[in-house]
Each structure stands twice: as C-alpha cells, then as structure tokens.
Amino acid sequence: MATPNPDQIEAGHVVAIYYTLKDAAGKQLDTNKNGGPPLSYLAGAGNIVPGLDKALLGQKRGTTVKAVVPPEEAYGPHRPELLERVPRAQFPAHVEIKPGMVFSGRTPDGLPLRIRVGGVEGDQVLIDKNHPLAGQELHFEVYVYGVRPATPEEQQHGHAHGPGGQHAH
Ligand code: ZN
C-alpha cells in the first residue's frame, strides 16, 4: 500500500487556505488575504463549493492553485423563477432603483431581510432571490497554507475545528 503523503490534500484532511475569488471579468469578489487567519475546511465534505473542493484534491501544502469553477459546481445556475415582482410603490420614491441594489427590509414575521434588485419593469421591481453568485463562473487563486488529518471529532461533525482541532464554534 502507498504511504499517504501528509502534505497532499485528500478527502478527510483539514486544509487551511488563503484565497482570492474573482468573477469571469476579473473583478474581485472576496478574499481572506488581508492579514486574518486562513480558512479551514474539511476536504471532500461539502464545506466549500464542490468545484473548488475537487480542484484542491491532490494539491500540496505550499503551492498556489488556480481553479475556474463553473456555476454548476459552485452556486448553481441563475434561475428566472426565483425573480419576484413587487410594486415599485413599496420602495422609497426618491431612490432610483437599479439592478444590483440591496435593500434591508422585514419579513411579515419581523425578521431582517435583504432584498436584491434584479431589474425594473415599468411600475414593477424584480426581486432576485437567487444566491448573489448564482450563474457565475468563479475564478479562485488559492494558496495551500496547511494540511493535516482531521480529528475523529471533526470527521464526525463533518467540518474543521480550530488550529489544534478544538471545538471553536
Ligand atoms: Zn464541530
């Protein structure tokens, strides 16, 4: 039997990464390369988008990995049936409503709600209930900072704990 390489990512390892996420046009959407701690995830457990999880399998500690992940392996396609029409009159009259704008509101139960505008049609506003990254091809640049076997507790929980494996959430 081959000896497992402790530096190489496989399912069941806890992996610490620094990443930058850009869209297909090169606009930066997210990063944790800003002085904070790395992101830890349990490989092969669905903790991160499936396409990135897959792209990182077999990669080694200390390497930089570029991965292009299609929507189907990220946040899914943009689904038109998740657009909902509401009257323009429900929005502040003095604000020009544009696609991509986000409003804070309340559900009928009083819970906080984020409303994202997908478009405007006449006196109707289209509310987009898709994930903000639905339909997007994701361009990741990932630095593999750490790789270690998961503890039995992490395997049981299906996610990574703190640096020493202690429960931190
Ligand atoms: Zn846990």
Side-chain angles (χ1 to χ4, degrees):
M1 255 182 74
T3 312
N5 182 342
D7 287 328
Q8 195 166 6
I9 299 171
E10 50 183 275
H13 279 161
V14 169
V15 184
I17 59 173
Y18 286 100
Y19 67 92
T20 298
L21 169 60
K22 294 180 177 174
D23 66 14
K27 182 186 159 205
Q28 184 170 305
L29 301 173
D30 192 14
T31 185
N32 70 341
K33 295 178 183 172
N34 46 21
L39 170 74
S40 288
Y41 73 96
L42 180 60
N47 292 177
I48 60 176
V49 296
L52 184 61
D53 206 348
K54 210 192 292 181
L56 290 172
L57 289 175
Q59 303 289 345
K60 288 184 179 157
R61 187 203 319 265
T63 56
T64 296
V65 181
K66 288 189 174 183
V68 178
V69 179
E72 296 70 32
E73 296 192 345
Y75 292 97
H78 187 268
R79 293 161 56 195
E81 68 269 27
L82 293 181
L83 293 170
E84 189 179 300
R85 287 177 157 72
V86 299
R88 169 68 179 85
Q90 289 189 8
F91 290 83
H94 60 281
V95 178
E96 191 191 345
I97 311 284
K98 290 179 187 164
M101 289 177 93
V102 175
F103 291 88
S104 300
R106 297 264 165 196
T107 66
D109 299 332
L111 296 169
L113 179 70
R114 272 167 57 89
I115 293 167
R116 192 159 45 90
V117 175
V120 182
E121 283 180 6
D123 60 356
Q124 305 275 293
V125 175
L126 297 177
I127 301 302
D128 193 346
K129 294 185 165 178
N130 284 280
H131 187 282
L133 295 178
Q136 296 227 36
E137 185 181 75
L138 304 182
H139 292 242
F140 286 99
E141 187 173 296
V142 175
Y143 177 71
V144 182
Y145 177 78
V147 182
R148 64 169 172 82
T151 65
E153 194 187 32
E154 286 171 320
Q155 280 174 354
Q156 199 188 347
H157 289 199
H159 56 227
H161 291 163
Q166 76 274 24
H167 212 267
H169 57 89

XYZ file of all heavy atoms in Angstrom, residues 6-53:
347
model
N 1.352 13.253 3.915
C 0.641 14.172 4.817
C 0.553 15.602 4.284
O -0.201 16.411 4.801
C 1.463 14.127 6.103
C 2.812 13.680 5.674
C 2.616 12.795 4.462
N 1.356 15.913 3.251
C 1.323 17.261 2.680
C 0.319 17.396 1.549
O 0.110 18.478 1.018
C 2.704 17.645 2.142
C 3.669 17.945 3.270
O 3.196 18.447 4.311
O 4.861 17.675 3.109
N -0.268 16.298 1.153
C -1.119 16.296 -0.037
C -2.585 16.187 0.375
O -2.947 15.359 1.211
C -0.728 15.115 -0.918
C -1.285 15.208 -2.312
C -0.595 14.211 -3.238
O 0.214 13.398 -2.804
N -0.929 14.282 -4.511
N -3.407 17.043 -0.238
C -4.815 17.106 0.163
C -5.586 15.878 -0.309
O -5.550 15.531 -1.485
C -5.496 18.375 -0.410
C -4.817 19.632 0.125
C -6.989 18.388 -0.073
C -5.270 20.916 -0.555
N -6.235 15.211 0.617
C -7.193 14.179 0.249
C -8.427 14.298 1.129
O -8.401 14.993 2.152
C -6.566 12.785 0.334
C -5.850 12.478 1.624
C -5.206 11.089 1.573
O -5.911 10.122 1.868
O -4.002 10.995 1.240
N -9.508 13.640 0.710
C -10.749 13.697 1.484
C -10.474 13.244 2.911
O -9.759 12.261 3.133
C -11.806 12.815 0.835
N -10.988 13.982 3.877
C -10.755 13.646 5.278
C -9.607 14.435 5.895
O -9.327 14.282 7.075
N -8.949 15.271 5.093
C -7.939 16.174 5.636
C -8.570 17.524 5.968
O -9.508 17.957 5.302
C -6.811 16.408 4.625
C -5.790 15.310 4.604
N -4.925 15.116 3.556
C -5.496 14.352 5.515
C -4.137 14.086 3.820
N -4.465 13.603 4.997
N -8.009 18.169 6.984
C -8.376 19.556 7.242
C -7.345 20.438 6.548
O -6.141 20.281 6.733
C -8.436 19.856 8.758
C -8.556 21.360 9.003
C -9.626 19.124 9.374
N -7.844 21.334 5.706
C -6.986 22.145 4.851
C -7.189 23.609 5.207
O -8.326 24.067 5.377
C -7.350 21.923 3.364
C -6.394 22.678 2.458
C -7.361 20.430 3.032
N -6.071 24.331 5.361
C -6.132 25.773 5.630
C -5.678 26.502 4.378
O -4.615 26.210 3.826
C -5.237 26.117 6.818
N -6.495 27.433 3.906
C -6.182 28.127 2.651
C -6.313 29.641 2.791
O -7.088 30.154 3.595
C -7.106 27.665 1.486
C -8.591 27.909 1.802
C -6.873 26.198 1.154
C -9.541 27.638 0.634
N -5.524 30.325 1.974
C -5.754 31.742 1.689
C -6.242 31.812 0.251
O -5.677 31.153 -0.624
C -4.471 32.550 1.865
C -4.107 32.756 3.322
C -3.144 31.960 3.934
C -4.750 33.733 4.071
C -2.830 32.141 5.273
C -4.441 33.919 5.408
C -3.483 33.124 6.002
O -3.181 33.299 7.324
N -7.299 32.567 0.012
C -7.880 32.554 -1.331
C -8.280 33.955 -1.774
O -8.538 34.839 -0.953
C -9.126 31.642 -1.376
C -10.274 32.187 -0.563
C -11.247 33.002 -1.162
C -10.367 31.945 0.789
C -12.283 33.538 -0.424
C -11.404 32.478 1.539
C -12.358 33.275 0.929
O -13.373 33.817 1.677
N -8.311 34.112 -3.079
C -8.928 35.282 -3.697
C -9.921 34.771 -4.719
O -9.623 33.840 -5.473
C -7.873 36.171 -4.381
O -6.961 36.634 -3.383
C -8.524 37.380 -5.048
N -11.109 35.346 -4.709
C -12.164 34.953 -5.635
C -12.475 36.130 -6.555
O -12.732 37.239 -6.085
C -13.419 34.542 -4.853
C -14.700 34.352 -5.665
C -14.544 33.266 -6.714
C -15.869 34.031 -4.731
N -12.433 35.855 -7.874
C -12.798 36.874 -8.855
C -13.893 36.327 -9.762
O -14.046 35.104 -9.885
C -11.579 37.262 -9.701
C -10.502 37.962 -8.891
C -9.311 38.333 -9.749
C -8.287 39.090 -8.897
N -7.051 39.362 -9.644
N -14.635 37.240 -10.390
C -15.609 36.784 -11.381
C -14.921 36.650 -12.737
O -13.721 36.897 -12.871
C -16.840 37.700 -11.421
C -16.524 39.103 -11.926
O -15.428 39.326 -12.492
O -17.389 39.984 -11.750
N -15.689 36.262 -13.762
C -15.098 35.996 -15.076
C -14.486 37.248 -15.691
O -13.581 37.167 -16.527
C -16.155 35.406 -16.007
N -14.959 38.421 -15.266
C -14.429 39.679 -15.804
C -13.191 40.156 -15.043
O -12.602 41.180 -15.387
C -15.513 40.757 -15.753
N -12.798 39.416 -14.007
C -11.607 39.774 -13.253
C -11.862 40.664 -12.053
O -10.937 41.107 -11.378
N -13.135 40.920 -11.758
C -13.472 41.743 -10.592
C -13.363 40.904 -9.318
O -13.907 39.805 -9.246
C -14.898 42.270 -10.750
C -15.356 43.183 -9.636
C -16.833 43.535 -9.800
C -17.426 43.999 -8.502
N -18.869 43.787 -8.444
N -12.660 41.424 -8.331
C -12.509 40.676 -7.080
C -13.806 40.673 -6.282
O -14.415 41.711 -6.039
C -11.380 41.277 -6.243
C -11.100 40.477 -4.975
C -9.841 40.925 -4.262
O -8.763 40.972 -4.847
N -9.974 41.268 -3.000
N -14.250 39.473 -5.887
C -15.499 39.319 -5.138
C -15.242 39.079 -3.660
O -16.040 39.450 -2.810
C -16.302 38.139 -5.699
C -16.693 38.216 -7.178
C -17.321 36.901 -7.627
C -17.646 39.374 -7.420
N -14.132 38.414 -3.363
C -13.878 38.036 -1.980
C -12.405 37.648 -1.841
O -11.787 37.199 -2.801
C -14.768 36.835 -1.608
C -14.785 36.569 -0.106
O -14.352 37.439 0.673
O -15.235 35.476 0.295
N -11.872 37.837 -0.642
C -10.519 37.350 -0.340
C -10.362 37.242 1.168
O -11.071 37.909 1.912
C -9.438 38.300 -0.900
O -8.144 37.707 -0.665
C -9.474 39.667 -0.238
N -9.471 36.367 1.606
C -9.100 36.380 3.029
C -7.603 36.632 3.161
O -7.011 36.381 4.201
C -9.526 35.091 3.740
C -8.713 33.879 3.319
O -8.062 33.887 2.272
N -8.741 32.834 4.121
N -6.993 37.161 2.073
C -5.570 37.516 2.127
C -5.440 38.946 2.634
O -4.961 39.837 1.933
C -4.955 37.404 0.727
C -4.927 35.985 0.170
C -4.345 35.982 -1.243
C -4.390 34.582 -1.838
N -4.009 34.572 -3.257
N -5.952 39.187 3.839
C -5.950 40.552 4.362
C -5.461 40.593 5.798
O -5.886 41.412 6.592
C -7.353 41.154 4.241
C -8.426 40.185 4.714
O -8.116 39.251 5.464
N -9.664 40.379 4.301
N -4.575 39.659 6.123
C -3.977 39.661 7.449
C -4.685 38.795 8.470
O -4.215 38.632 9.580
N -5.836 38.260 8.097
C -6.585 37.401 9.010
C -6.106 35.960 8.953
O -5.144 35.650 8.258
N -6.791 35.096 9.691
C -6.417 33.681 9.689
C -6.833 33.018 8.372
O -7.702 33.528 7.670
C -7.227 33.105 10.859
C -8.422 33.987 10.955
C -7.954 35.367 10.529
N -6.210 31.885 8.041
C -6.651 31.156 6.850
C -8.042 30.557 7.069
O -8.498 30.443 8.204
C -5.597 30.051 6.711
C -5.046 29.860 8.079
C -5.130 31.201 8.754
N -8.691 30.205 5.987
C -9.961 29.490 6.045
C -9.662 27.997 6.146
O -8.908 27.456 5.341
C -10.768 29.760 4.770
C -12.019 28.902 4.581
C -13.135 29.352 5.520
C -12.497 28.938 3.138
N -10.228 27.329 7.157
C -10.045 25.886 7.290
C -11.307 25.168 6.863
O -12.408 25.593 7.195
C -9.717 25.515 8.743
O -8.405 25.923 9.067
N -11.123 24.094 6.113
C -12.280 23.285 5.715
C -11.897 21.819 5.738
O -10.719 21.468 5.696
C -12.784 23.707 4.320
C -11.896 23.270 3.177
C -12.154 22.098 2.471
C -10.778 24.025 2.820
C -11.344 21.690 1.427
C -9.956 23.621 1.784
C -10.241 22.444 1.089
O -9.421 22.044 0.066
N -12.921 20.972 5.828
C -12.715 19.525 5.781
C -12.865 19.088 4.327
O -13.941 19.255 3.731
C -13.740 18.820 6.678
C -13.673 17.292 6.741
C -12.324 16.811 7.272
C -14.807 16.745 7.607
N -11.793 18.569 3.747
C -11.805 18.216 2.319
C -12.803 17.098 2.038
O -12.936 16.149 2.819
C -10.407 17.799 1.867
N -13.531 17.243 0.940
C -14.460 16.209 0.495
C -15.750 16.146 1.279
O -16.497 15.177 1.156
N -16.046 17.179 2.083
C -17.221 17.123 2.966
C -18.261 18.186 2.622
O -19.210 18.395 3.370
C -16.793 17.267 4.424
N -18.079 18.863 1.487
C -19.078 19.862 1.093
C -19.002 21.160 1.884
O -19.949 21.923 1.901
N -17.865 21.420 2.544
C -17.709 22.668 3.304
C -17.526 23.868 2.390
O -17.843 24.992 2.759
C -16.484 22.600 4.231
C -16.630 21.601 5.370
O -15.713 21.424 6.140
N -17.774 20.929 5.486
N -16.927 23.645 1.215
C -16.713 24.721 0.238
C -17.398 24.309 -1.062
O -17.881 23.185 -1.170
C -15.201 25.006 0.023
C -14.482 23.755 -0.488
C -14.558 25.490 1.326
C -13.017 23.988 -0.823
N -17.446 25.201 -2.054
C -18.154 24.861 -3.294
C -17.518 23.612 -3.912
O -16.302 23.450 -3.887
C -18.199 26.038 -4.295
C -18.992 27.201 -3.725
C -16.820 26.464 -4.737
N -18.356 22.711 -4.460
C -17.868 21.400 -4.911
C -16.720 21.483 -5.921
O -15.768 20.691 -5.845
C -19.096 20.755 -5.573
C -20.270 21.465 -5.004
C -19.809 22.846 -4.616
N -16.787 22.448 -6.848
C -15.744 22.544 -7.872
C -14.386 22.897 -7.288
O -13.353 22.429 -7.771
N -14.369 23.717 -6.230
C -13.094 24.075 -5.601
C -12.584 22.925 -4.745
O -11.390 22.601 -4.759
C -13.246 25.345 -4.762
C -11.944 25.860 -4.134
C -10.917 26.207 -5.202
C -12.201 27.057 -3.240
N -13.496 22.291 -4.025
C -13.148 21.112 -3.219
C -12.429 20.094 -4.106
O -11.354 19.589 -3.771
C -14.457 20.514 -2.660
C -14.253 19.728 -1.368
O -13.096 19.444 -1.007
O -15.266 19.384 -0.739
